Amino acid sequence: MAASKETFGNADRFEKPVFSAVIRPHRSLSPQGFRILMMLVCAVSVIASLPFAVMGFWPVAGFFGLDFLGLYIAFRVSYRQGQAFEMLELTPIRLLFRKVTARGETQEWQFNPLWTRLDRETDDEFGLQKLELASRNQRVVIAHDLSPPERETLAEAFSRALSDVKRGY
């Protein structure tokens, strides 16, 4: 009985994540900030269109409304795209990369960590531009939505974890 517990303990060790990260697109405006911004834009549009409506140029008020509507739609689309994410999980026996779109469509790649490397594409002026998981004939771009400094931080942490796994954890 003790031997089987030992076997299960080792199995758990190999399934336990060594590195895990969820990568989401950055959104600088919170939902509360969005509501405040939209109220301010609406108030400015109404105040700016009142003199035109009083003078009889009421179509101008409609164009102010269209500007407001266009801005609202643009922000809603941006927030919808912000629901997409990438998940990176490294265990001693498996590297899982999952990409979920804003629509909920999922793509998943699994790699053997011993055969996987992290390729970097760096620009002298703009920093780290691209991270790519490469294993045999597969190549997958990761962390596309991060800024270059954030990509660099992720690359350092992930490279360290990947090398730990390759050395035997």
Side-chain angles (χ1 to χ4, degrees):
M1 187 81 168
S4 64
K5 283 186 179 179
E6 173 109 7
T7 305
F8 289 128
N10 284 339
D12 289 343
R13 177 179 167 247
F14 291 122
E15 289 298 320
K16 184 179 177 190
V18 175
F19 180 87
S20 183
V22 176
I23 303 160
R24 296 187 181 278
H26 178 68
R27 295 293 176 255
S28 59
L29 191 60
S30 70
Q32 181 181 2
F34 171 69
R35 283 190 290 276
I36 292 169
L37 177 70
M38 294 314 300
M39 286 189 288
L40 288 173
V41 169
C42 181
V44 168
S45 292
V46 168
I47 292 169
S49 66
L50 279 177
F52 292 105
V54 169
M55 291 188 297
F57 301 120
W58 57 267
V60 173
F63 285 107
F64 276 108
L66 285 176
D67 287 347
F68 173 78
L69 181 64
L71 187 62
Y72 177 81
I73 290 171
F75 271 105
R76 294 308 300 167
V77 167
S78 175
Y79 278 115
R80 176 86 169 125
Q81 290 173 345
Q83 293 175 347
F85 66 92
E86 297 175 351
M87 189 200 70
L88 190 61
E89 185 178 88
L90 176 65
T91 68
I93 59 171
R94 168 177 64 92
L95 170 59
L96 173 68
F97 177 66
R98 180 179 295 142
K99 187 179 275 196
V100 180
T101 67
R103 292 183 180 138
E105 299 164 350
T106 302
Q107 286 184 299
E108 195 171 280
W109 293 267
Q110 289 194 31
F111 301 98
N112 180 338
L114 300 177
W115 296 98
T116 305
R117 70 180 184 278
L118 183 66
D119 291 339
R120 304 171 190 213
E121 186 177 301
T122 306
D123 182 87
D124 292 337
E125 187 175 345
F126 299 108
L128 185 57
Q129 294 298 301
K130 185 165 124 179
L131 284 176
E132 199 170 50
L133 291 174
S135 180
R136 298 184 181 173
N137 295 335
Q138 283 189 309
R139 300 181 82 72
V140 181
V141 175
I142 66 169
H144 182 266
D145 293 322
L146 296 180
S147 67
E150 291 170 326
R151 258 187 228 117
E152 188 63 46
T153 302
L154 176 73
E156 288 172 10
F158 181 71
S159 294
R160 199 171 24 252
L162 190 59
S163 66
D164 286 348
V165 167
K166 288 180 179 182
R167 276 186 278 130
Y169 182 44

